[in-house]
Coordinates of all heavy atoms in Angstrom, one line a residue:
N158 N -11.1 -0.6 3.0 CA -11.0 0.7 2.4 C -11.6 0.7 1.0 O -11.1 1.4 0.1 CB -9.5 1.1 2.4 CG -8.9 1.1 3.8 OD1 -9.6 1.5 4.7 ND2 -7.7 0.6 3.9
R159 N -12.5 -0.3 0.7 CA -13.0 -0.4 -0.7 C -14.5 -0.2 -0.7 O -15.2 -0.7 -1.6 CB -12.6 -1.7 -1.3 CG -11.1 -1.8 -1.5 CD -10.8 -2.8 -2.5 NE -9.3 -2.8 -2.8 CZ -8.7 -3.7 -3.4 NH1 -9.3 -4.8 -3.7 NH2 -7.4 -3.7 -3.6
D160 N -15.0 0.5 0.3 CA -16.5 0.7 0.3 C -16.8 1.8 -0.7 O -16.5 2.9 -0.5 CB -16.8 1.1 1.8 CG -18.3 1.4 1.9 OD1 -19.0 1.4 0.9 OD2 -18.8 1.6 3.1
P161 N -17.6 1.4 -1.7 CA -17.9 2.4 -2.8 C -18.7 3.6 -2.2 O -18.8 4.6 -2.9 CB -18.7 1.6 -3.8 CG -19.1 0.3 -3.1 CD -18.2 0.1 -2.0
D162 N -19.4 3.4 -1.1 CA -20.1 4.5 -0.5 C -19.2 5.5 0.2 O -19.5 6.7 0.4 CB -21.1 4.0 0.6 CG -22.3 3.2 0.0 OD1 -22.5 3.4 -1.2 OD2 -22.9 2.5 0.7
R163 N -17.9 5.1 0.5 CA -17.0 6.0 1.1 C -15.9 6.5 0.1 O -15.4 7.5 0.3 CB -16.3 5.2 2.3 CG -17.2 4.8 3.4 CD -17.6 6.0 4.2 NE -16.5 6.4 5.1 CZ -16.6 7.4 5.9 NH1 -17.6 8.3 5.8 NH2 -15.6 7.7 6.7
F164 N -15.6 5.6 -0.8 CA -14.4 5.9 -1.7 C -14.9 5.8 -3.2 O -15.3 4.8 -3.7 CB -13.3 4.9 -1.5 CG -12.8 4.8 -0.1 CD1 -13.2 3.8 0.7 CD2 -11.9 5.7 0.3 CE1 -12.8 3.8 2.0 CE2 -11.4 5.7 1.6 CZ -11.8 4.7 2.5
P165 N -14.8 6.9 -3.9 CA -15.1 6.9 -5.3 C -14.0 6.0 -6.0 O -12.9 6.1 -5.6 CB -15.0 8.3 -5.8 CG -14.6 9.1 -4.7 CD -14.4 8.2 -3.5
E166 N -14.4 5.2 -6.9 CA -13.5 4.3 -7.6 C -12.6 3.5 -6.6 O -11.4 3.6 -6.6 CB -12.6 5.0 -8.6 CG -13.3 5.7 -9.7 CD -12.4 6.3 -10.7 OE1 -11.9 7.4 -10.6 OE2 -12.1 5.6 -11.7
P167 N -13.3 2.7 -5.7 CA -12.5 2.1 -4.6 C -11.4 1.1 -5.0 O -10.5 0.9 -4.2 CB -13.7 1.4 -3.9 CG -14.7 1.2 -4.8 CD -14.7 2.3 -5.8
D168 N -11.5 0.6 -6.2 CA -10.4 -0.3 -6.6 C -9.2 0.3 -7.3 O -8.3 -0.4 -7.7 CB -11.0 -1.5 -7.5 CG -12.0 -2.3 -6.7 OD1 -11.7 -2.5 -5.5 OD2 -13.0 -2.8 -7.2
V169 N -9.3 1.6 -7.4 CA -8.2 2.3 -8.0 C -7.2 2.8 -6.9 O -7.6 3.3 -5.9 CB -8.7 3.6 -8.8 CG1 -7.5 4.4 -9.3 CG2 -9.6 3.2 -9.9
L170 N -5.9 2.5 -7.2 CA -4.8 2.9 -6.2 C -4.6 4.4 -6.6 O -3.9 4.7 -7.6 CB -3.6 2.1 -6.4 CG -2.4 2.6 -5.6 CD1 -2.6 2.6 -4.1 CD2 -1.1 1.9 -5.9
D171 N -5.1 5.3 -5.7 CA -4.9 6.7 -6.0 C -4.3 7.3 -4.7 O -4.9 7.6 -3.7 CB -6.3 7.3 -6.2 CG -6.2 8.9 -6.4 OD1 -5.1 9.4 -6.4 OD2 -7.3 9.5 -6.5
V172 N -3.0 7.5 -4.8 CA -2.3 8.0 -3.6 C -2.6 9.5 -3.3 O -2.2 10.0 -2.3 CB -0.7 7.8 -3.7 CG1 -0.4 6.3 -3.7 CG2 -0.2 8.5 -4.9
T173 N -3.3 10.1 -4.3 CA -3.6 11.6 -4.1 C -5.0 11.7 -3.5 O -5.5 12.8 -3.4 CB -3.5 12.3 -5.4 OG1 -4.5 11.9 -6.3 CG2 -2.1 12.2 -6.0
R174 N -5.7 10.6 -3.2 CA -7.1 10.7 -2.8 C -7.3 11.6 -1.6 O -6.5 11.4 -0.6 CB -7.6 9.3 -2.5 CG -9.1 9.2 -2.2 CD -9.6 7.8 -2.1 NE -9.8 7.2 -3.4 CZ -9.4 6.0 -3.8 NH1 -8.7 5.2 -3.0 NH2 -9.7 5.6 -5.0
S175 N -8.2 12.5 -1.6 CA -8.4 13.4 -0.5 C -9.8 13.9 -0.5 O -10.3 14.4 -1.5 CB -7.4 14.6 -0.7 OG -7.6 15.5 0.3
P176 N -10.5 13.8 0.6 CA -10.1 13.1 1.8 C -10.0 11.6 1.6 O -10.6 11.1 0.7 CB -11.2 13.5 2.8 CG -12.4 13.7 2.0 CD -11.9 14.2 0.7
N177 N -9.3 11.0 2.5 CA -9.0 9.5 2.4 C -9.3 8.9 3.8 O -8.3 8.6 4.5 CB -7.6 9.3 1.9 CG -7.4 7.8 1.6 OD1 -8.3 7.0 1.7 ND2 -6.2 7.5 1.2
P178 N -10.5 8.6 4.1 CA -10.8 8.2 5.5 C -10.6 6.6 5.6 O -11.5 5.9 6.0 CB -12.3 8.5 5.6 CG -12.9 8.5 4.3 CD -11.7 8.8 3.3
H179 N -9.4 6.1 5.2 CA -9.2 4.7 5.3 C -9.0 4.2 6.7 O -8.8 5.0 7.6 CB -8.0 4.3 4.4 CG -6.7 4.9 4.9 ND1 -6.0 4.3 5.9 CD2 -6.0 6.0 4.6 CE1 -4.9 5.0 6.2 NE2 -4.9 6.0 5.3
L180 N -9.0 2.9 6.9 CA -9.0 2.3 8.2 C -7.7 1.4 8.4 O -7.6 0.6 9.3 CB -10.2 1.4 8.5 CG -11.5 2.2 8.5 CD1 -12.7 1.2 8.5 CD2 -11.6 3.1 9.6
T181 N -6.7 1.7 7.5 CA -5.5 0.9 7.5 C -4.8 0.9 8.9 O -4.3 -0.1 9.3 CB -4.5 1.4 6.4 OG1 -5.2 1.3 5.2 CG2 -3.3 0.5 6.4
F182 N -4.8 2.0 9.6 CA -4.2 2.1 10.9 C -5.2 2.0 12.0 O -4.9 2.5 13.1 CB -3.3 3.4 10.9 CG -2.1 3.4 10.0 CD1 -2.1 4.2 8.9 CD2 -1.1 2.5 10.2 CE1 -1.0 4.2 8.1 CE2 0.0 2.5 9.4 CZ 0.1 3.3 8.3
G183 N -6.4 1.5 11.7 CA -7.3 1.4 12.8 C -8.1 2.7 12.9 O -8.1 3.6 12.1
H184 N -8.7 2.8 14.1 CA -9.6 3.9 14.3 C -9.8 4.2 15.8 O -9.7 3.3 16.6 CB -11.0 3.5 13.7 CG -12.1 4.5 14.0 ND1 -12.2 5.7 13.3 CD2 -13.2 4.5 14.8 CE1 -13.2 6.4 13.7 NE2 -13.9 5.6 14.6
G185 N -10.0 5.5 16.2 CA -10.3 5.8 17.6 C -9.2 5.6 18.5 O -8.0 5.8 18.2
I186 N -9.5 5.2 19.8 CA -8.5 5.2 20.8 C -7.3 4.3 20.6 O -6.2 4.5 21.1 CB -9.2 4.9 22.2 CG1 -8.3 5.2 23.3 CG2 -9.7 3.5 22.3 CD1 -9.0 5.2 24.7
H187 N -7.6 3.2 19.8 CA -6.5 2.3 19.5 C -5.9 2.5 18.2 O -5.2 1.6 17.6 CB -7.0 0.8 19.6 CG -7.3 0.4 21.0 ND1 -6.3 0.3 22.0 CD2 -8.5 0.3 21.7 CE1 -6.8 0.0 23.1 NE2 -8.1 0.0 23.0
F188 N -6.0 3.7 17.6 CA -5.4 4.1 16.3 C -3.9 3.8 16.5 O -3.2 4.0 17.5 CB -5.5 5.6 16.0 CG -5.0 6.0 14.7 CD1 -5.7 5.7 13.5 CD2 -3.7 6.6 14.6 CE1 -5.1 6.1 12.3 CE2 -3.2 6.9 13.4 CZ -3.9 6.7 12.2
C189 N -3.3 3.2 15.4 CA -1.9 2.7 15.4 C -0.9 3.7 15.9 O -0.8 4.8 15.4 CB -1.5 2.3 14.0 SG 0.2 1.8 13.8
F190 N -0.2 3.3 16.9 CA 0.8 4.1 17.6 C 2.0 4.4 16.6 O 2.7 5.4 16.7 CB 1.3 3.3 18.8 CG 2.1 4.1 19.7 CD1 1.6 5.1 20.6 CD2 3.5 3.8 19.8 CE1 2.4 5.8 21.4 CE2 4.3 4.5 20.7 CZ 3.8 5.5 21.5
G191 N 2.2 3.4 15.7 CA 3.4 3.5 14.8 C 3.1 4.1 13.5 O 3.9 4.1 12.6
A192 N 1.9 4.6 13.3 CA 1.5 5.1 12.0 C 2.5 6.2 11.4 O 2.9 6.0 10.2 CB 0.1 5.7 12.0
P193 N 2.9 7.2 12.1 CA 3.9 8.1 11.6 C 5.2 7.4 11.1 O 5.7 7.8 10.0 CB 4.2 9.1 12.7 CG 3.0 9.0 13.6 CD 2.6 7.5 13.5
L194 N 5.7 6.5 11.9 CA 6.9 5.7 11.5 C 6.6 4.9 10.3 O 7.5 4.9 9.3 CB 7.4 4.9 12.7 CG 8.6 4.0 12.4 CD1 9.8 4.8 12.0 CD2 8.9 3.1 13.5
A195 N 5.5 4.2 10.2 CA 5.2 3.4 9.1 C 5.1 4.2 7.8 O 5.5 3.9 6.7 CB 3.9 2.6 9.3
R196 N 4.4 5.4 7.9 CA 4.3 6.3 6.8 C 5.7 6.8 6.3 O 5.9 6.9 5.1 CB 3.4 7.5 7.1 CG 1.9 7.1 7.2 CD 1.1 8.3 7.5 NE -0.3 8.0 7.1 CZ -1.3 8.1 7.9 NH1 -1.2 8.6 9.2 NH2 -2.6 7.8 7.5
L197 N 6.5 7.2 7.3 CA 7.9 7.6 6.9 C 8.7 6.6 6.2 O 9.3 6.8 5.2 CB 8.6 8.1 8.2 CG 10.0 8.6 8.0 CD1 10.0 9.9 7.2 CD2 10.6 8.9 9.4
E198 N 8.6 5.3 6.7 CA 9.3 4.2 6.1 C 8.8 4.0 4.7 O 9.6 3.7 3.8 CB 9.2 2.9 7.0 CG 10.0 3.0 8.2 CD 9.8 1.8 9.1 OE1 8.8 1.0 8.9 OE2 10.6 1.5 10.0
A199 N 7.5 4.0 4.5 CA 6.9 3.8 3.2 C 7.3 4.9 2.2 O 7.7 4.6 1.1 CB 5.4 3.7 3.3
R200 N 7.3 6.1 2.7 CA 7.7 7.2 1.8 C 9.2 7.0 1.4 O 9.5 7.2 0.2 CB 7.6 8.6 2.6 CG 7.7 9.8 1.7 CD 7.3 11.0 2.5 NE 6.0 11.0 3.0 CZ 5.6 11.3 4.2 NH1 6.5 11.7 5.1 NH2 4.3 11.2 4.6
I201 N 10.1 6.7 2.3 CA 11.5 6.5 2.0 C 11.7 5.3 1.0 O 12.3 5.4 0.0 CB 12.3 6.3 3.2 CG1 12.4 7.6 4.1 CG2 13.7 5.8 2.9 CD1 12.9 7.4 5.5
A202 N 11.0 4.2 1.3 CA 11.2 3.0 0.5 C 10.6 3.2 -0.9 O 11.3 2.9 -1.9 CB 10.4 1.8 1.2
L203 N 9.4 3.9 -1.0 CA 8.9 4.1 -2.4 C 9.7 5.1 -3.2 O 9.9 4.9 -4.4 CB 7.4 4.5 -2.2 CG 6.4 3.5 -1.7 CD1 5.1 4.1 -1.5 CD2 6.3 2.3 -2.8
R204 N 10.2 6.1 -2.5 CA 11.0 7.0 -3.2 C 12.3 6.4 -3.8 O 12.7 6.6 -4.9 CB 11.4 8.2 -2.3 CG 12.1 9.4 -3.0 CD 12.1 10.6 -2.2 NE 10.8 11.2 -2.0 CZ 10.4 11.9 -0.9 NH1 11.3 12.2 0.0 NH2 9.2 12.4 -0.8
M205 N 12.9 5.5 -2.9 CA 14.1 4.8 -3.4 C 13.8 3.9 -4.6 O 14.6 3.8 -5.5 CB 14.7 4.0 -2.2 CG 15.4 4.9 -1.2 SD 16.0 3.9 0.2 CE 17.5 3.1 -0.6
L206 N 12.7 3.2 -4.5 CA 12.3 2.3 -5.5 C 12.1 3.0 -6.8 O 12.6 2.7 -7.9 CB 11.0 1.6 -5.1 CG 10.4 0.5 -6.1 CD1 11.4 -0.7 -6.1 CD2 9.0 0.1 -5.7
L207 N 11.3 4.2 -6.7 CA 11.0 4.9 -8.0 C 12.2 5.7 -8.5 O 12.3 5.9 -9.7 CB 9.9 5.9 -7.7 CG 8.6 5.2 -7.4 CD1 7.5 6.2 -6.9 CD2 8.1 4.4 -8.5
D208 N 13.2 6.0 -7.6 CA 14.5 6.6 -8.1 C 15.3 5.6 -8.9 O 16.0 5.9 -9.8 CB 15.3 7.1 -6.9 CG 14.9 8.4 -6.4 OD1 14.0 9.1 -7.0 OD2 15.3 8.8 -5.3
R209 N 15.2 4.3 -8.4 CA 16.0 3.3 -9.0 C 15.4 2.8 -10.3 O 16.2 2.4 -11.2 CB 16.2 2.2 -8.0 CG 17.4 1.3 -8.4 CD 17.8 0.3 -7.2 NE 18.1 1.1 -6.0 CZ 18.4 0.5 -4.9 NH1 18.3 -0.8 -4.8 NH2 18.7 1.2 -3.8
F210 N 14.1 2.7 -10.3 CA 13.5 2.1 -11.5 C 12.4 3.1 -12.0 O 11.7 3.7 -11.2 CB 12.8 0.8 -11.2 CG 13.8 -0.2 -10.7 CD1 13.7 -0.6 -9.3 CD2 14.7 -0.8 -11.5 CE1 14.6 -1.5 -8.8 CE2 15.6 -1.7 -11.0 CZ 15.6 -2.1 -9.6
R211 N 12.2 3.1 -13.3 CA 11.0 3.9 -13.7 C 10.1 2.9 -14.5 O 10.5 1.8 -14.9 CB 11.4 5.1 -14.6 CG 12.2 4.7 -15.8 CD 12.7 6.0 -16.5 NE 13.7 5.7 -17.5 CZ 13.5 5.3 -18.7 NH1 12.3 5.1 -19.1 NH2 14.5 5.0 -19.5
D212 N 8.9 3.4 -14.9 CA 8.0 2.5 -15.6 C 7.8 1.2 -15.0 O 8.0 0.1 -15.6 CB 8.5 2.3 -17.1 CG 8.4 3.6 -17.9 OD1 7.7 4.5 -17.5 OD2 9.2 3.7 -18.9
L213 N 7.5 1.2 -13.7 CA 7.2 0.0 -13.0 C 5.8 -0.5 -13.4 O 4.9 0.2 -13.3 CB 7.2 0.3 -11.5 CG 7.8 -0.6 -10.5 CD1 9.2 -1.0 -10.8 CD2 7.7 0.1 -9.1
S214 N 5.7 -1.8 -13.8 CA 4.4 -2.3 -14.1 C 4.3 -3.7 -13.8 O 5.3 -4.4 -13.7 CB 4.1 -2.1 -15.6 OG 5.0 -2.8 -16.4
I215 N 3.1 -4.2 -13.5 CA 2.9 -5.6 -13.2 C 2.9 -6.4 -14.4 O 2.2 -6.2 -15.4 CB 1.5 -5.8 -12.4 CG1 1.6 -5.0 -11.1 CG2 1.2 -7.2 -12.2 CD1 0.3 -4.9 -10.4
S216 N 3.9 -7.4 -14.4 CA 4.0 -8.2 -15.7 C 2.9 -9.2 -15.9 O 2.4 -9.3 -17.0 CB 5.3 -9.1 -15.6 OG 6.1 -8.9 -14.5
T217 N 2.5 -9.9 -14.9 CA 1.4 -10.8 -15.0 C 0.7 -11.0 -13.6 O 1.4 -10.9 -12.6 CB 1.9 -12.2 -15.5 OG1 0.8 -13.1 -15.3 CG2 3.1 -12.6 -14.8
Y218 N -0.5 -11.2 -13.6 CA -1.2 -11.5 -12.4 C -1.2 -13.0 -12.1 O -1.6 -13.5 -11.0 CB -2.7 -11.0 -12.4 CG -2.7 -9.5 -12.2 CD1 -2.7 -8.7 -13.3 CD2 -2.7 -8.9 -11.0 CE1 -2.7 -7.3 -13.2 CE2 -2.7 -7.6 -10.8 CZ -2.8 -6.7 -11.9 OH -2.8 -5.4 -11.8
D219 N -0.7 -13.8 -13.0 CA -0.7 -15.3 -12.9 C 0.2 -15.8 -11.7 O -0.1 -16.7 -11.1 CB -0.3 -16.0 -14.2 CG -1.3 -15.7 -15.3 OD1 -2.4 -15.4 -15.0 OD2 -0.9 -15.9 -16.4
D220 N 1.3 -15.1 -11.5 CA 2.3 -15.6 -10.5 C 2.1 -14.8 -9.2 O 3.0 -15.0 -8.3 CB 3.7 -15.4 -11.0 CG 4.0 -16.2 -12.3 OD1 3.3 -17.3 -12.4 OD2 4.8 -15.8 -13.1
V221 N 1.1 -14.1 -9.0 CA 0.9 -13.4 -7.7 C 0.6 -14.3 -6.6 O -0.3 -15.2 -6.8 CB -0.2 -12.3 -7.8 CG1 -0.3 -11.5 -6.5 CG2 0.2 -11.3 -8.9
T222 N 1.3 -14.3 -5.5 CA 0.8 -15.1 -4.3 C 0.6 -14.1 -3.2 O 1.2 -13.0 -3.1 CB 1.9 -16.1 -3.9 OG1 3.1 -15.4 -3.6 CG2 2.1 -17.1 -5.0
Y223 N -0.3 -14.5 -2.3 CA -0.8 -13.6 -1.3 C -0.4 -14.1 0.1 O -0.2 -15.3 0.3 CB -2.4 -13.5 -1.3 CG -2.8 -12.8 -2.6 CD1 -3.0 -13.5 -3.8 CD2 -2.9 -11.4 -2.6 CE1 -3.4 -12.8 -4.9 CE2 -3.3 -10.8 -3.8 CZ -3.5 -11.5 -4.9 OH -3.9 -10.8 -6.1
Q224 N -0.3 -13.2 1.1 CA -0.1 -13.6 2.5 C -1.4 -14.3 3.0 O -2.4 -14.1 2.4 CB 0.0 -12.3 3.3 CG 1.0 -11.3 2.8 CD 2.3 -11.5 3.5 OE1 2.6 -12.5 4.1 NE2 3.2 -10.5 3.4
N225 N -1.3 -14.9 4.1 CA -2.4 -15.4 4.7 C -3.3 -14.3 5.2 O -2.9 -13.6 6.1 CB -2.0 -16.3 5.9 CG -3.2 -16.9 6.7 OD1 -4.3 -16.5 6.4 ND2 -2.9 -17.7 7.6
P226 N -4.5 -14.0 4.7 CA -5.2 -12.8 5.0 C -5.7 -12.8 6.5 O -6.1 -11.8 7.0 CB -6.4 -12.8 4.0 CG -6.5 -14.2 3.6 CD -5.1 -14.8 3.7
A227 N -5.7 -14.0 7.1 CA -6.1 -14.0 8.5 C -5.0 -13.3 9.4 O -5.3 -12.9 10.5 CB -6.3 -15.5 9.0
V228 N -3.8 -13.2 8.8 CA -2.7 -12.6 9.6 C -2.5 -11.2 9.1 O -2.4 -10.2 9.8 CB -1.4 -13.4 9.4 CG1 -0.2 -12.8 10.2 CG2 -1.6 -14.9 9.8
L229 N -2.3 -11.0 7.7 CA -2.0 -9.7 7.2 C -2.5 -9.7 5.7 O -2.2 -10.7 5.0 CB -0.5 -9.5 7.2 CG 0.1 -8.2 7.0 CD1 -0.3 -7.3 8.1 CD2 1.6 -8.2 6.8
V230 N -3.2 -8.7 5.3 CA -3.6 -8.7 3.9 C -2.5 -8.1 3.1 O -2.0 -7.0 3.4 CB -4.9 -7.8 3.8 CG1 -5.3 -7.7 2.3 CG2 -6.0 -8.4 4.6
G231 N -2.1 -8.8 2.0 CA -1.0 -8.2 1.2 C -0.5 -9.3 0.3 O -0.8 -10.5 0.5
V232 N 0.4 -8.9 -0.7 CA 1.0 -9.9 -1.6 C 2.3 -10.3 -1.0 O 3.0 -9.6 -0.4 CB 1.1 -9.3 -3.0 CG1 -0.2 -9.1 -3.7 CG2 2.0 -8.1 -3.0
R233 N 2.6 -11.6 -1.3 CA 3.9 -12.1 -0.9 C 4.9 -12.1 -2.0 O 6.1 -11.9 -1.9 CB 3.7 -13.6 -0.4 CG 4.9 -14.3 0.1 CD 4.6 -15.7 0.5 NE 3.8 -15.7 1.7 CZ 4.2 -15.6 2.9 NH1 5.5 -15.4 3.1 NH2 3.4 -15.6 3.9
H234 N 4.3 -12.3 -3.2 CA 5.2 -12.3 -4.5 C 4.4 -11.6 -5.6 O 3.3 -12.0 -5.9 CB 5.3 -13.8 -4.8 CG 6.1 -14.1 -6.0 ND1 7.5 -14.0 -6.0 CD2 5.8 -14.5 -7.2 CE1 7.9 -14.3 -7.3 NE2 6.9 -14.6 -8.0
L235 N 5.1 -10.6 -6.2 CA 4.4 -9.8 -7.2 C 5.4 -9.5 -8.3 O 6.2 -8.5 -8.1 CB 3.8 -8.5 -6.6 CG 3.2 -7.5 -7.6 CD1 1.9 -8.1 -8.1 CD2 2.9 -6.2 -6.8
P236 N 5.5 -10.3 -9.3 CA 6.5 -10.0 -10.4 C 6.2 -8.7 -11.1 O 5.0 -8.4 -11.5 CB 6.3 -11.2 -11.4 CG 5.4 -12.1 -10.7 CD 4.6 -11.4 -9.7
V237 N 7.2 -7.9 -11.3 CA 7.0 -6.6 -12.0 C 8.1 -6.5 -13.1 O 9.1 -7.1 -13.1 CB 7.1 -5.4 -11.1 CG1 6.0 -5.4 -10.1 CG2 8.5 -5.3 -10.4
D238 N 7.7 -5.7 -14.1 CA 8.6 -5.3 -15.2 C 9.2 -3.9 -14.8 O 8.4 -3.0 -14.4 CB 7.9 -5.2 -16.5 CG 7.6 -6.6 -17.1 OD1 8.3 -7.5 -16.8 OD2 6.5 -6.7 -17.7
V239 N 10.5 -3.7 -15.0 CA 11.0 -2.4 -14.7 C 11.9 -1.9 -15.8 O 12.4 -2.8 -16.6 CB 11.9 -2.4 -13.4 CG1 11.1 -2.7 -12.2 CG2 13.0 -3.4 -13.5
V240 N 12.1 -0.6 -15.9 CA 13.1 -0.1 -16.9 C 14.0 0.7 -16.0 O 13.6 1.6 -15.2 CB 12.4 0.9 -17.9 CG1 13.4 1.5 -18.8 CG2 11.3 0.1 -18.7
R241 N 15.3 0.4 -16.2 CA 16.3 1.2 -15.4 C 16.5 2.5 -16.1 O 16.5 2.6 -17.3 CB 17.7 0.5 -15.4 CG 17.7 -0.7 -14.5 CD 19.1 -1.5 -14.7 NE 19.0 -2.7 -13.9 CZ 19.3 -2.8 -12.6 NH1 19.6 -1.8 -12.0 NH2 19.2 -4.0 -12.0
P242 N 16.7 3.6 -15.3 CA 16.8 5.0 -15.9 C 18.1 5.0 -16.7 O 19.1 4.3 -16.4 CB 16.9 5.9 -14.8 CG 16.7 5.1 -13.5 CD 16.7 3.7 -13.9
Ligands
HEM204 C1 2.1 -0.4 7.6 C2 2.4 -0.6 8.9 C3 1.3 -0.7 9.9 C4 0.0 -1.0 9.9 C5 -0.8 -1.3 8.6 C6 -0.5 -1.0 11.2 C7 -1.9 -1.2 11.5 C8 -2.4 -1.1 12.8 C9 -3.8 -1.2 13.2 C10 -4.9 -1.5 12.2 C11 -3.9 -1.0 14.5 C12 -5.2 -1.0 15.3 C13 -5.4 -2.4 15.9 C14 -6.7 -2.4 16.7 O1 -7.5 -1.5 16.6 O2 -6.9 -3.4 17.5 C15 -2.6 -0.8 15.0 C16 -2.3 -0.6 16.4 C17 -1.0 -0.4 16.8 N1 0.2 -0.3 16.1 FE1 0.3 -0.4 14.1 N2 0.5 -0.7 12.1 C18 1.6 -0.5 11.3 C19 2.9 -0.2 11.8 C20 3.2 0.0 13.2 C21 4.5 0.3 13.7 C22 5.8 0.5 12.8 C23 4.4 0.3 15.0 C24 5.5 0.6 16.1 C25 6.7 1.0 15.8 C26 3.0 0.1 15.4 C27 2.6 0.0 16.7 C28 1.2 -0.1 17.0 C29 0.7 -0.1 18.4 C30 1.6 0.0 19.6 C31 -0.7 -0.3 18.3 C32 -1.7 -0.4 19.4 C33 -2.2 1.0 19.7 C34 -3.3 0.9 20.8 O3 -3.9 -0.1 21.0 O4 -3.5 2.0 21.4 N3 2.3 -0.2 14.2 N4 -1.7 -0.8 14.0

């Protein structure tokens, strides 16, 4: 989802990007069957996180560890600074 020919500013996390022709849930006939559930879970989890903490920011990139990208692309450990409301 970082092809600069498809996405302006591909390295910016912009949840309002529209249109957003990403391939996170695959494409075509094998498009992810669980995409609506995954989106609902993400919406609920992010809302709870943002309700609980504000001013979430990444403290340092030095301690970030990643998943095995052959299995799943994503971070395993991401230290953040938070401010409680
Ligand atoms: C963030 C969470 C998820 C991501 C990123 C994701 C990603 C994907 C991707 C990329 C594919 C296509 C694989 C391919 O083309 O070979 C896929 C297929 C599929 N996903 Fe997900 N998925 C997620 C959550 C879920 C959930 C929660 C369920 C079920 C409750 C689910 C069930 C399926 C099934 C059954 C397929 C196969 C669809 C088919 O082949 O017709 N996924 N998923």
Side-chain angles (χ1 to χ4, degrees):
N158 305 318
R159 294 201 176 162
D160 180 349
D162 290 339
R163 299 285 282 172
F164 303 96
E166 299 189 272
D168 291 328
V169 173
L170 173 65
D171 177 4
V172 295
T173 66
R174 185 172 280 135
S175 177
N177 188 2
H179 66 80
L180 297 172
T181 304
F182 291 113
H184 175 72
I186 194 169
H187 289 290
F188 183 81
C189 177
F190 190 74
L194 176 61
R196 286 185 160 124
L197 180 64
E198 288 178 341
R200 191 172 301 131
I201 292 168
L203 289 172
R204 191 166 291 153
M205 288 177 74
L206 183 70
L207 295 172
D208 279 350
R209 196 167 301 173
F210 303 109
R211 62 183 163 84
D212 293 338
L213 218 52
S214 60
I215 296 171
S216 356
T217 167
Y218 285 92
D219 293 342
D220 295 333
V221 179
T222 57
Y223 293 89
Q224 309 266 16
N225 176 354
V228 180
L229 194 70
V230 177
V232 291
R233 180 180 293 280
H234 179 75
L235 176 69
V237 294
D238 289 326
V239 296
V240 177
R241 286 176 188 274

